[in-house]
Amino acid sequence: MDYSNPPPQRDIIRAYLSKKGHVVKNWKLRLFVLKPGSSYMEYFVDETKEDLRQPQGRVPLFGARVMEYIHTGSGSNSNTREFCLIVETDHKNWIISASSKAQQVEWIEAIKCAIEQAVETDDIKMQKHRAIEKQLSEDNKKRTKTPVLKLLLLGAGESGKSTVVKQMKILHHKGFSKEEEDFYRNLIYVNLLDGVALLIHVIKENNIEVSQETESAIKNFSSWYRVYVEKRKNVVKNSNGSTSIIQSNLQNIDKKMTHLSLDGSTSINSASSAGNGSTSNSHNRSNSDGASNNIFNVQDFGLPPIITNYISVIWSDPVVQSDVMLQAQKYHINESTKYYLNELKRIGKPSYQPVNLDILKSRATTNGVVETDFNVGEVIFRIVDVAGQRGERKKWINFFDDVTAIVFVAAINEYDQKLVEDNCTNRLHESLNLFDQICNDSTFPKSSIILFLNKIDLFREKLKRTSIKICFPDYNDDQSYEKSSSFIKNSFLSKKRGGSNPGMSSTGFIYFHFTCATDTKSFETVFNSVRDIIISKTLEFYC
Ligand SMILES: Nc1nc2c(ncn2[C@@H]2O[C@H](COP(=O)(O)OP(=O)(O)OP(=O)(O)O)[C@@H](O)[C@H]2O)c(=O)[nH]1
Ligand SMILES: [Mg+2]
């Protein structure tokens, strides 16, 4: 029977039908009444109650579904019922049994018709509202059994906040699901390919001389990359959910590369760019058959071996690893590019699955706010991860309620880098100013602050060539890690005004740790100490 096109309902229909109880699962005969234009189907104990307008119940029809239902019975109530239908709403189902096939069909058709015309009445809204409230109160009851400690991760963009959340997943959430791994594999390809494109941009813009072999690999990679980026944009436009994180990074890449002439002749953003750049272009759009299209579909088919080969040639050039890489910092290259390039052999394999470290190194700007609960022993740590870039900070205020502690993440290796947002402010100065605001501004929560002086691995590396004097002209000590890191730590702690001791605020304390958020072992030690401090402070407060 085809119920897809029910005839329009004209008359009121009424009949005694059996309804299965919601609490006691027995069958009761009820007088069902369906009026044209009504958003409800009502049922009464009998005609007298109908006359008195005292329905036993109402079935809301807005957004409901109706279909035939096979009732086989179960347990003590094993009676099979014939000619059943079911009306499903978001909150409740009604199982009804007719007395014949014809009656079953008639009611299904009539209810379908009424559903199509039903509107969302205030009653229905109220019903939904009550259901949501009930759910919330049940959730709350569950939550109150386990204390929740809310940690708010704050800090400038790219300081490492989301990496902290990834570490929590590894340590307290059984790691990453298959779905997450697939998402990160694609993100890693994006990070790697955009990193190579940026290196090429640096070479071209600064007229850096590279070997003949590198030059040729650059040409071939560039002509492929142009088409790949265009196709990637389309894929991202058509998708949603987690892929949108990649989209936002892609927009950043676009901004950086608006004037990028990968092979010195064509912009990657120009609509006509694909396929007309270099004479050696063997990957242009005219190759539109399925097999050659796969070469651009990195998400599904992985890195094409020929492209891996070009990248490998480019990366093997000593000038690229030294001069180009150093210059690339000015262009805001993702710090993990070097790591991915060194792992190219593994990442380039068709069977590539990311390991935890690959995922920790991946980079995607956080959009909005992400809240995640982690069960840690007897308590739940609710970690709130926010987007750190300037334009996003006004949203932070929405998450200040019930904050147990603020974890402020500062990337201390950024002392010689400029902000992505304006390409002029020193990143470490920006971080210090933000920290100052958080410690002293009354609009921020009055809770303890845990300061993560992060990216110490990159900090150590950078100190070998650049002193922190570039950021702090008053600094007159040597370039040792101990002295330099201690100076930066004190610069942060001294930002707190009004407390007699630096590091101690009038309302809470500032605890600090030097961290490398991509190192799981060291992060575990740091987090355990943070956990102990937070729990003991919280107990102190309640006891
Ligand atoms: N080498 C190294 N890389 C790190 C460290 N911490 C974070 N990173 C990398 O830095 C990049 C940025 O880290 P994220 O965690 O995305 O930064 P974020 O603070 O969440 O940035 P926004 O979401 O833009 O505010 C990623 O590629 C991380 O892998 C660290 O201690 N050492
Ligand atoms: Mg983030």
Side-chain angles (χ1 to χ4, degrees):
M1 176 76 60
D2 176 17
Y3 303 133
S4 58
N5 271 327
Q9 184 196 337
R10 276 179 226 109
D11 300 315
I12 179 167
I13 66 165
R14 304 165 68 253
Y16 275 96
L17 305 171
S18 296
K19 180 184 113 20
K20 194 167 181 184
H22 281 115
V23 184
V24 182
K25 306 283 178 204
N26 57 354
W27 291 91
K28 290 198 178 106
L29 207 58
R30 295 285 180 247
L31 176 61
F32 277 80
V33 178
L34 183 54
K35 292 181 186 157
S38 168
S39 296
Y40 290 98
M41 175 165 70
E42 292 181 321
Y43 53 91
F44 301 84
V45 173
D46 54 27
E47 283 95 335
T48 9
K49 293 286 182 192
E50 189 192 8
D51 289 341
L52 292 168
R53 294 290 318 129
Q54 289 175 346
Q56 184 79 6
R58 302 169 102 197
V59 183
L61 295 177
F62 178 78
R65 295 160 297 276
V66 62
M67 64 205 87
E68 200 174 322
Y69 182 76
I70 312 288
H71 186 272
T72 49
S74 63
S76 57
N77 185 11
S78 58
N79 288 343
T80 301
R81 281 268 168 167
E82 280 189 287
F83 316 125
C84 289
L85 54 113
I86 183 165
V87 182
E88 292 180 345
T89 68
D90 286 345
H91 312 297
K92 218 171 177 182
N93 295 341
W94 280 263
I95 298 170
I96 299 162
S97 163
S99 55
S100 67
K101 184 72 192 165
Q103 192 180 39
Q104 180 198 36
V105 171
E106 182 197 11
W107 276 84
I108 288 177
E109 287 182 350
I111 295 169
K112 270 197 171 176
C113 185
I115 287 172
E116 270 179 21
Q117 291 160 10
V119 288
E120 190 170 27
T121 61
D122 286 344
D123 275 5
I124 295 177
K125 281 185 195 153
M126 187 49 77
Q127 221 168 330
K128 276 189 187 166
H129 177 73
R130 279 200 210 105
I132 292 168
E133 274 194 333
K134 195 173 158 208
Q135 187 63 46
L136 283 177
S137 113
E138 272 167 16
D139 286 353
N140 265 343
K141 268 185 214 154
K142 270 187 219 153
R143 280 194 198 124
T144 46
K145 280 183 200 150
T146 319
V148 177
L149 305 177
K150 182 167 158 185
L151 296 194
L152 185 56
L153 284 170
L154 299 180
E158 235 174 318
S159 54
K161 300 178 292 297
S162 302
T163 312
V164 167
V165 179
K166 287 182 198 164
Q167 288 288 16
M168 289 297 288
K169 280 201 170 186
I170 292 169
L171 293 167
H172 298 286
H173 229 277
K174 298 182 198 148
F176 302 98
S177 67
K178 175 82 185 61
E179 242 179 8
E180 286 172 318
E181 276 184 10
D182 287 346
F183 166 75
Y184 283 115
R185 187 183 54 231
N186 189 34
L187 177 61
I188 289 162
Y189 290 145
V190 169
N191 284 171
L192 172 69
L193 293 167
D194 291 349
V196 176
L198 197 60
L199 290 177
I200 294 172
H201 175 55
V202 174
I203 293 170
K204 296 290 166 197
E205 207 171 81
N206 296 280
N207 293 319
I208 298 174
E209 212 169 299
V210 291
S211 75
Q212 201 53 46
E213 204 190 357
T214 307
E215 194 60 59
S216 156
I218 285 177
K219 271 196 169 177
N220 287 324
F221 175 86
S222 304
S223 57
W224 172 86
Y225 179 79
R226 256 183 254 117
V227 185
Y228 155 75
V229 160
E230 284 299 319
K231 288 186 183 277
R232 187 171 86 191
K233 272 188 207 165
N234 293 335
V235 170
V236 173
K237 261 183 218 152
N238 294 337
S239 54
N240 48 31
S242 50
T243 334
S244 64
I245 300 174
I246 295 180
Q247 184 179 18
S248 83
N249 265 24
L250 186 64
Q251 283 161 354
N252 283 344
I253 275 286
D254 277 357
K255 265 184 240 156
K256 284 178 208 164
M257 299 198 188
T258 307
H259 307 295
L260 170 58
S261 300
L262 284 170
D263 63 357
S265 62
T266 327
S267 157
I268 58 161
N269 281 337
S270 130
S272 61
S273 64
N276 63 1
S278 77
T279 47
S280 60
N281 178 5
S282 54
H283 316 294
N284 61 38
R285 279 180 179 179
S286 60
N287 292 334
S288 57
D289 59 279
S292 60
N293 257 336
N294 292 351
I295 200 173
F296 302 109
N297 185 352
V298 174
Q299 179 165 355
D300 294 329
F301 296 95
L303 286 179
I306 189 163
I307 301 306
T308 311
N309 209 29
Y310 296 146
I311 300 174
S312 171
V313 171
I314 298 167
W315 185 235
S316 308
D317 191 320
V319 178
V320 177
Q321 295 212 17
S322 52
D323 270 22
V324 180
M325 205 62 196
L326 277 181
Q327 298 253 26
Q329 192 182 274
K330 289 190 215 133
Y331 297 79
H332 310 295
I333 193 159
N334 179 355
E335 280 143 355
S336 302
T337 304
K338 187 174 172 185
Y339 167 81
Y340 291 136
L341 284 166
N342 285 335
E343 296 294 319
L344 183 65
K345 231 174 160 179
R346 185 168 55 83
I347 297 173
K349 282 191 182 150
S351 57
Y352 169 63
Q353 275 302 111
V355 296
N356 283 347
L357 185 57
D358 300 346
I359 294 177
L360 288 165
K361 294 273 185 183
S362 67
R363 166 72 181 143
T365 317
T366 302
N367 282 322
V369 175
V370 184
E371 234 181 71
T372 322
D373 283 359
F374 297 96
N375 278 303
V376 182
E378 306 290 294
V379 299
I380 291 173
F381 274 88
R382 177 158 304 149
I383 311 252
V384 185
D385 178 22
V386 302
Q389 290 199 353
R390 278 181 177 175
E392 297 287 321
R393 293 177 201 158
K394 53 187 172 298
K395 297 179 193 157
W396 293 1
I397 195 165
N398 300 320
F399 298 87
F400 289 172
D401 283 349
D402 315 321
V403 169
T404 313
I406 288 175
V407 177
F408 186 89
V409 187
I412 60 167
N413 68 314
E414 293 181 340
Y415 59 88
D416 66 339
Q417 286 172 245
K418 302 272 193 292
L419 218 58
V420 174
E421 292 93 314
D422 64 3
N423 215 18
C424 106
T425 312
N426 177 288
R427 287 198 193 193
L428 196 51
H429 286 162
E430 173 83 356
S431 190
L432 280 160
N433 287 339
L434 193 54
F435 188 69
D436 185 339
Q437 213 184 327
I438 289 168
C439 291
N440 301 305
D441 189 330
S442 60
T443 54
F444 280 90
K446 315 241 171 307
S447 41
S448 298
I449 296 176
I450 294 148
L451 172 63
F452 280 1
L453 298 155
N454 193 34
K455 303 201 182 182
I456 51 167
D457 54 330
L458 300 171
F459 180 69
R460 275 182 204 276
E461 274 300 305
K462 194 171 277 182
L463 277 179
K464 289 178 194 161
R465 45 176 205 277
T466 315
S467 161
I468 60 167
K469 206 171 167 53
I470 196 167
C471 177
F472 305 101
D474 295 345
Y475 179 77
N476 286 317
D477 259 318
D478 60 36
Q479 264 175 252
S480 69
Y481 170 80
E482 287 68 26
K483 296 240 167 81
S484 308
S485 61
S486 170
F487 184 88
I488 293 180
K489 175 203 76 186
N490 290 333
S491 303
F492 272 95
L493 296 184
S494 64
K495 287 290 172 196
K496 174 68 202 151
R497 292 189 291 272
S500 48
N501 300 323
M504 188 193 274
S505 73
S506 52
T507 47
F509 291 83
I510 299 174
Y511 302 91
F512 66 89
H513 291 273
F514 288 101
T515 56
C516 174
T518 47
D519 178 348
T520 304
K521 236 182 153 43
S522 75
F523 179 83
E524 185 173 21
T525 314
V526 168
F527 179 74
N528 287 346
S529 125
V530 168
R531 177 200 60 197
D532 294 346
I533 287 205
I534 290 177
I535 292 177
S536 71
K537 280 257 116 203
T538 313
L539 288 177
E540 226 173 74
F541 182 77
Y542 287 109
C543 293

